[in-house]
Amino acid sequence: MFETINIAKGVNVHVNETTQFKTINFSIKFKDKLTKEKASARSILANVLQHSNEVYPSHTALRMVLDDLYGTSLYIDSSKRGNEHVVTLNVETVNDQYLSEKGVLEKVLNLMYIVLFKPNFENGLFKESIFTREKHSIVQRIESVFDEKTRYAQQRMMELALPNHPASITSNGTIEIVENVTNEQLVAEYNEMISQNEIEIYAVGDVKPEMIASYIREFFHFKDREKAIAVPPMELVKPEQPRVLEFEDMKQGKLHMAFFTPITFRDEKFPIMQLMNGVFGGYAHSKLFVNIREKESMAYYVSSSFASQFGLMFVLAGIDSKLEEKAVTLVLEQLEEVKKGNISDIELDQTKALLVNQLKEALDSARGQIDIYDQYMELTDRFEPEYMINKWKNVTKEDIALVAKELSLEMTYFLSGKEDETNA
Amino acid sequence: MHKVEFEQLEETLFHEKLDNGLTVYILPKKGFSKTFATFTTKYGSIDNHFVPQGGSEPIKVPDGIAHFLEHKMFEKEEGDVFQEFSKQGAAANAFTSFTRTAYLFSATGEIDKNVKTLLDFVQSPYFTEKTVEKEKGIIAQEITMYDDQPDWRLYFGIIENMYKNHPVKIDIAGTVESIQDITAEHLYTCYNTFYHPSNMVLFIVGNVDPDQMMALVKEDQAQKTFEEPTEITRIYPEEPKEVAIKERVLEMSVQKPKVFYGIKPEKLDLIGPEMLKHELAAQLAYELLFGRTSDFYHHAYENDWIDESYSFDYSLEQGFGYALVGSDTHKPEVLIKEIKHTLQNAVEKWPFGQEDLDRVRRKKIGFFLRALNSPEYIANQFTNYAFNEMNLFDVVPVLEELEVVDLQNAFALVSHESQQSVFTIMPPKKDEQ
């Protein structure tokens, strides 16, 4: 899929030369350790760098040049994976063979260089008005989670269950830390990102690997950097309170449950755990959906998900606030079924078929190819879908029952409508 | 089978209208492992007043019934269709909009079987009082979930403001009360009226051989019997030009106010090439006025009247449409005033020339080419366009022919003061804590 070219110590270019897409996609990923401080500063940094720069000193000027380049999309996002915080420059541009104009690709690469290396500095600091505005943007982004009650409930549960653990640190940091970041700190963070972070550069589209690598070598001048020492996953500590009930002004109750498992992404049982999650609650044929939605008519959504980086499994459901206890009982009953190995051949085959399908489908988008390749890099340097498909193939229901037995329910969080609320 | 080549886009589309009236489109995609198929009826939440198949008098049906029917199509006497799709490694789904109900799957294998499953389950209704009752609790939870989403309430709030009579103002899922009235008999009435092949489109895009796939669909349809196609009589109320409500405020559990400013289009009877030209021209006009390169955006963002949630959109269907501009904001009054001014100034003096048009046109062409990487986008958009007698692959040629005056003319139809409305969601007042 990808051809990898090393251009400096700790800096790799991965290119998938393909005619599958009408566009060329780039991602430049800067990886660092995940802490609240890093996440806060780097979210601001991502916004400041995508706002404007030395050559295009206003947001309007930068957006105009992107429009002129046939609506090339360019954004920088701040995300996390396991113990890592990642700042990614994402760019997608039209392959100019579909256009009457040529030379778009070079212009886009040059623009990427400008965005990363020519920030909007004034006397050695980021332009103050932009710095202040973007800090505020990040604060607003963190605040807005409250409006989406499912996201908010999940975040509340994580804060309560695993405070100060990477699993509960959000990729945007915290309001308090964001507000206190100084311009000097942000410049230091920027310099560190450019010169010390490990960098993975991806390109997908009708481009030659050698051309991309030599362009970046010639213009971006990324220097050698030390490879970060892999930090082992932080231990999961039992929450002080196993059950929390909170209230907000809303109609539907949000049930969120967190289970711990010793199995993580790096574990050889990881593929079995993926199947366990699929049988239990990952799909429309899964036990949770069939029993809680279809048989009981209690929920519109009810599902489980496996956060393999941390060894966590979550169950989420939207239910009538009065039915919390019943829902928890039903979820645990279904988990018991899986632990006993009461899984039909059909359930197992369906789950395998859908996992395979999901993986292959994800590889039908350039972004999906980049994300999956980047994730599996630490397990295999030549990722192909067969790598996972072969691991799922021979898993039995007994294997699934065994990993299910290793799950422990550690937190039940319920966000309920106000008790005194009359259902209007 | 007809074959249309779009040379510049390097796409070839195969299509045919079958004897029973079903329109089938097949678009092979080189290099893709997945195939995506949608089976869509031109029947959505707005079709609540019609003459039922075989009847002579118009009837009105309960709010939310098209969506309810969509849910119930998946349940058969022998069980749930999701189970069958899962066995065949397909991810299946469905959605109901104002104008359409679509059933879909995507899969990377067993495509023939999955296409058969899709055709079979949508063409074999099975409704009983028991299965209908069972669904009411599930859909009630779905409605409740949406009721708690401020962005959804904001969107529907502004549509209710704009439309006085048109059923677009009715929530697609109905209300917890309205769905209680739905019976199996209702579902059969709606099904028999709107799920005739002549009112449907099948679109298959991805890793397929067009000849073989068309033959499979034809054979499948030839084995099934259908009534003779008849013209469906749909009844929509008269809708005044001006908006129903100028301003409304709703209190909800949000951290800061949310604003949607809506503009109701003046001409709602466009169809076909005229509609396509108007829609694209109006979208470019709104892009120039409210897009990321606009003066409005620049000032609103730098002054903190809008944040990252800011969005604008223009959408047109037969009988209804809207332009929307909105954001979460600490300064709702200022934001509303600024949007109003921006519209007013453009009405008085159109501020954009050729260079501006060229720039946003380039942006739009790029966006369109990017979207063509997505089988889902192609199938959904193409079907939507086809129901409005437009061709998705005409987008680039029509964009290339647009002139500044076209943008002005389009904007003139979506800008009048009496067609503007605003809906705001406010956090609870502090003293009520």
Side-chain angles (χ1 to χ4, degrees):
Chain A
M1 195 158 48
F2 283 91
E3 181 177 329
T4 298
I5 300 170
N6 177 270
I7 55 168
K9 196 172 158 195
V11 185
N12 297 306
V13 176
H14 314 272
V15 182
N16 181 13
E17 184 183 353
T18 172
T19 55
Q20 187 181 351
F21 307 110
K22 291 184 165 45
T23 52
I24 301 160
N25 266 276
F26 296 98
S27 280
I28 302 187
K29 293 178 180 285
F30 297 86
K31 300 184 175 182
D32 207 326
K33 193 168 173 290
L34 175 66
T35 63
K36 284 180 183 171
E37 290 70 24
K38 282 269 176 206
S40 304
R42 288 169 164 247
S43 297
I44 307 169
L45 182 59
N47 266 35
V48 166
L49 293 178
Q50 75 175 9
H51 178 279
S52 55
N53 49 61
E54 188 183 294
V55 181
Y56 302 102
S58 72
H59 187 69
T60 311
L62 177 59
R63 289 290 137 190
M64 278 193 178
V65 73
L66 287 164
D67 286 1
D68 273 330
L69 291 165
Y70 291 90
T72 292
S73 87
L74 181 151
Y75 61 97
I76 306 181
D77 67 27
S78 154
S79 63
K80 67 170 204 177
R81 190 168 72 217
N83 300 327
E84 277 183 338
H85 186 274
V86 188
V87 172
T88 310
L89 167 64
N90 295 293
V91 174
E92 186 176 12
T93 188
V94 176
N95 184 336
D96 53 26
Q97 76 183 57
Y98 297 99
L99 304 171
S100 41
E101 187 184 335
K102 299 292 168 246
V104 173
L105 178 61
E106 279 77 6
K107 286 181 188 161
V108 169
L109 282 163
N110 183 44
L111 188 61
M112 285 161 67
Y113 164 77
I114 290 167
V115 166
L116 290 175
F117 290 89
K118 299 279 173 201
N120 215 341
F121 280 148
E122 228 170 30
N123 310 321
L125 293 174
F126 289 104
K127 201 165 168 199
E128 193 63 32
S129 60
I130 296 168
F131 168 73
T132 309
R133 177 65 188 92
E134 294 308 327
K135 258 170 79 160
H136 199 53
S137 257
I138 303 300
V139 169
Q140 289 169 315
R141 189 189 297 170
I142 299 169
E143 284 174 341
S144 73
V145 170
F146 176 74
D147 296 356
E148 290 177 53
K149 295 299 184 273
T150 308
R151 268 182 74 198
Y152 171 73
Q154 180 67 12
Q155 193 174 301
R156 279 295 296 156
M157 176 175 74
M158 294 311 296
E159 285 165 3
L160 295 160
L162 291 161
N164 300 316
H165 184 283
S168 70
I169 298 174
T170 71
S171 59
N172 295 312
T174 72
I175 292 177
E176 195 189 350
I177 300 174
V178 167
E179 281 175 339
N180 287 308
V181 170
T182 66
N183 203 327
E184 287 78 6
Q185 280 173 322
L186 202 66
V187 173
E189 196 65 54
Y190 163 75
N191 287 326
E192 191 182 328
M193 183 180 100
I194 294 288
S195 59
Q196 292 175 32
N197 275 189
E198 268 185 80
I199 303 176
E200 305 294 345
I201 302 165
Y202 290 89
V204 176
D206 196 2
V207 288
K208 294 268 174 267
E210 205 32 67
M211 180 258 161
I212 299 294
S214 65
Y215 189 99
I216 290 174
R217 225 184 254 122
E218 188 175 348
F219 293 98
F220 284 56
H221 302 300
F222 284 124
K223 294 182 178 55
D224 289 359
R225 57 215 53 219
E226 289 309 312
K227 269 192 88 67
I229 299 153
V231 186
M234 210 164 127
E235 206 171 318
L236 300 171
V237 182
K238 275 187 178 298
E240 286 171 19
Q241 290 174 287
R243 190 177 171 282
V244 175
L245 172 66
E246 292 187 326
F247 294 93
E248 283 299 339
D249 190 5
M250 54 197 268
K251 292 182 178 174
Q252 187 175 52
K254 304 282 184 191
L255 173 65
H256 289 238
M257 300 162 82
F259 300 80
F260 289 5
T261 161
I263 299 163
T264 66
F265 181 68
R266 291 154 203 83
D267 196 300
E268 57 172 18
K269 292 186 205 152
F270 162 65
I272 306 174
M273 191 58 210
Q274 286 179 292
L275 280 160
M276 182 270 147
N277 175 60
V279 167
F280 179 52
Y283 302 104
H285 68 261
S286 308
K287 290 184 183 292
L288 291 180
F289 191 92
V290 167
N291 288 285
I292 295 176
R293 171 171 153 150
E294 294 302 313
K295 278 198 185 134
E296 297 283 343
S297 304
M298 269 172 64
Y300 167 66
Y301 72 89
V302 52
S303 64
S304 69
S305 60
F306 173 39
S308 64
Q309 292 289 339
F310 305 112
L312 293 165
M313 190 181 73
F314 303 117
V315 168
L316 272 62
I319 51 172
D320 188 309
S321 286
K322 293 191 282 295
L323 298 175
E324 184 204 357
E325 216 166 304
K326 185 181 177 185
V328 171
T329 306
L330 287 169
V331 169
L332 295 176
E333 266 174 23
Q334 290 312 312
L335 184 58
E336 208 48 46
E337 289 296 295
V338 181
K339 286 181 181 175
K340 285 183 192 151
N342 290 336
I343 301 162
S344 67
D345 291 345
I346 289 177
E347 281 175 296
L348 187 59
D349 291 346
Q350 286 173 322
T351 305
K352 285 179 182 179
L354 282 189
L355 270 168
V356 171
N357 182 53
Q358 232 172 337
L359 177 60
K360 285 186 171 171
E361 276 198 22
L363 297 172
D364 268 344
S365 88
R367 221 30 68 223
Q369 290 179 3
I370 292 169
D371 289 345
I372 290 172
Y373 196 83
D374 195 67
Q375 183 185 344
Y376 281 92
M377 206 170 357
E378 61 173 298
L379 300 186
T380 166
D381 49 12
R382 277 253 163 263
F383 180 79
E384 292 292 340
E386 282 63 36
Y387 173 84
M388 282 315 295
I389 294 168
N390 291 330
K391 288 181 190 285
W392 291 321
K393 208 164 41 195
N394 301 316
V395 173
T396 63
K397 55 185 87 168
E398 291 76 20
D399 297 333
I400 291 174
L402 281 175
V403 299
K405 286 190 180 113
E406 295 190 73
L407 287 161
S408 60
L409 173 62
E410 300 294 350
M411 168 75 103
T412 304
Y413 174 86
F414 195 69
L415 186 63
S416 170
K418 291 263 164 59
E419 277 179 319
D420 58 351
E421 194 192 289
T422 47
N423 268 337
Chain B
M1 181 161 71
H2 305 280
K3 176 176 171 182
V4 195
E5 301 228 23
F6 301 94
E7 278 171 30
Q8 197 193 355
L9 302 172
E10 290 188 353
E11 299 286 4
T12 308
L13 181 70
F14 299 84
H15 65 99
E16 193 165 348
K17 194 169 175 136
L18 309 188
D19 293 343
N20 65 12
L22 178 67
T23 310
V24 184
Y25 293 97
I26 299 172
L27 186 87
K29 269 278 189 191
K30 282 196 297 287
F32 278 70
S33 8
K34 85 165 151 201
T35 297
F36 181 75
T38 58
F39 193 17
T40 311
T41 163
K42 188 177 177 180
Y43 168 54
S45 63
I46 64 167
D47 302 301
N48 63 346
H49 192 189
F50 56 89
V51 178
Q53 200 249 356
S56 55
E57 290 304 310
I59 56 163
K60 269 201 154 161
V61 287
D63 292 350
I65 196 162
H67 171 257
F68 203 105
L69 177 53
E70 174 228 305
H71 271 241
K72 284 332 292 170
M73 286 311 299
F74 284 88
E75 190 166 356
K76 305 293 177 214
E77 200 166 1
E78 54 280 9
D80 192 338
V81 178
F82 278 119
Q83 297 286 350
E84 197 173 332
F85 276 121
S86 281
K87 268 181 233 164
Q88 293 156 190
N93 213 333
F95 64 83
T96 309
S97 72
F98 295 127
T99 54
R100 295 175 289 151
T101 312
Y103 299 87
L104 53 103
F105 76 80
S106 65
T108 46
E110 307 211 60
I111 303 307
D112 291 2
K113 269 191 193 170
N114 284 314
V115 168
K116 282 282 289 176
T117 304
L118 179 68
L119 291 167
D120 286 347
F121 99 86
V122 178
Q123 294 184 325
S124 55
Y126 168 77
F127 313 124
T128 68
E129 289 313 327
K130 200 169 156 230
T131 62
V132 167
E133 278 316 301
K134 198 205 78 171
E135 204 68 22
K136 288 178 181 175
I138 298 170
I139 294 180
Q141 282 308 319
E142 184 177 6
I143 292 168
T144 311
M145 176 184 87
Y146 278 107
D147 275 348
D148 283 335
Q149 290 177 359
D151 286 335
W152 182 255
R153 298 288 294 274
L154 186 70
Y155 174 66
F156 254 91
I158 190 68
I159 289 175
E160 285 170 350
N161 273 13
M162 283 189 274
Y163 287 87
K164 187 169 185 292
N165 305 321
H166 195 284
V168 67
K169 66 184 231 187
I170 300 163
D171 194 310
I172 293 166
T175 64
V176 174
E177 292 73 35
S178 75
I179 62 169
Q180 302 309 324
D181 302 335
I182 292 173
T183 64
E185 197 186 343
H186 276 133
L187 295 184
Y188 276 114
T189 303
C190 294
Y191 181 88
N192 292 331
T193 307
F194 293 106
Y195 281 64
H196 190 278
S198 61
N199 192 45
M200 298 188 74
V201 165
L202 175 69
F203 200 105
I204 303 171
V205 51
N207 189 359
V208 289
D209 174 312
D211 293 309
Q212 179 265 333
M213 185 51 74
M214 191 62 89
L216 178 143
V217 173
K218 265 179 148 157
E219 192 189 346
D220 172 276
Q221 292 299 284
Q223 287 169 357
K224 296 173 182 168
T225 46
F226 299 94
E227 303 273 331
E228 280 301 303
T230 48
E231 199 59 42
I232 304 170
T233 309
R234 308 168 197 243
I235 299 156
Y236 303 112
E238 278 290 304
E239 178 65 33
K241 274 204 164 135
E242 63 276 6
V243 296
I245 304 163
K246 288 297 280 181
E247 267 185 75
R248 251 186 333 151
V249 177
L250 172 73
E251 223 174 76
M252 260 186 105
S253 166
V254 293
Q255 35 79 45
K256 68 174 174 189
K258 291 174 180 278
V259 167
F260 245 153
Y261 200 100
I263 306 97
K264 184 177 179 179
E266 203 168 316
K267 233 176 135 36
L268 294 168
D269 56 353
L270 293 171
I271 192 160
E274 265 194 321
M275 188 179 194
L276 181 61
K277 184 176 173 177
H278 167 80
E279 186 174 44
L280 291 172
Q283 281 172 348
L284 292 189
Y286 268 85
E287 175 75 45
L288 284 169
L289 283 164
F290 294 103
R292 284 222 174 171
T293 55
S294 63
D295 287 348
F296 167 84
Y297 179 88
H298 178 75
H299 289 296
Y301 186 78
E302 303 302 331
N303 288 311
D304 211 356
W305 302 328
I306 58 173
D307 65 13
E308 290 173 338
S309 67
Y310 174 76
S311 70
F312 70 97
D313 182 31
Y314 179 70
S315 167
L316 186 67
E317 291 282 349
Q318 294 162 59
F320 67 93
Y322 44 78
L324 297 175
V325 184
S327 178
D328 297 1
T329 176
H330 284 299
K331 300 263 174 63
E333 304 80 9
V334 181
L335 177 59
I336 291 163
K337 201 176 83 208
E338 288 299 318
I339 295 171
K340 206 182 174 84
H341 273 190
T342 305
L343 291 166
Q344 189 56 36
N345 292 343
V347 169
E348 283 164 16
K349 187 178 179 305
W350 182 250
F352 305 107
Q354 190 63 38
E355 220 172 278
D356 302 304
L357 166 61
D358 290 343
R359 195 185 66 246
V360 288
R361 184 195 342 250
R362 271 202 290 275
K363 177 182 182 172
K364 190 96 181 151
I365 290 173
F367 168 84
F368 181 72
L369 289 172
R370 283 215 301 273
L372 291 189
N373 285 330
S374 160
E376 290 83 355
Y377 174 88
I378 295 173
N380 286 324
Q381 265 319 75
F382 195 99
T383 302
N384 198 21
Y385 273 41
F387 284 150
N388 287 320
E389 296 170 29
M390 319 192 294
N391 184 333
L392 181 68
F393 293 114
D394 289 342
V395 165
V396 175
V398 171
L399 278 170
E400 281 171 342
E401 283 165 18
L402 285 178
E403 301 188 8
V404 175
V405 66
D406 297 320
L407 271 58
Q408 277 175 272
N409 293 341
F411 176 71
L413 293 174
V414 201
S415 53
H416 199 276
E417 214 283 327
S418 68
Q419 289 154 287
Q420 297 174 19
S421 171
V422 67
F423 191 85
T424 310
I425 289 179
M426 297 295 278
K429 291 189 184 68
K430 282 278 191 289
D431 55 4
E432 290 176 11
Q433 294 279 316

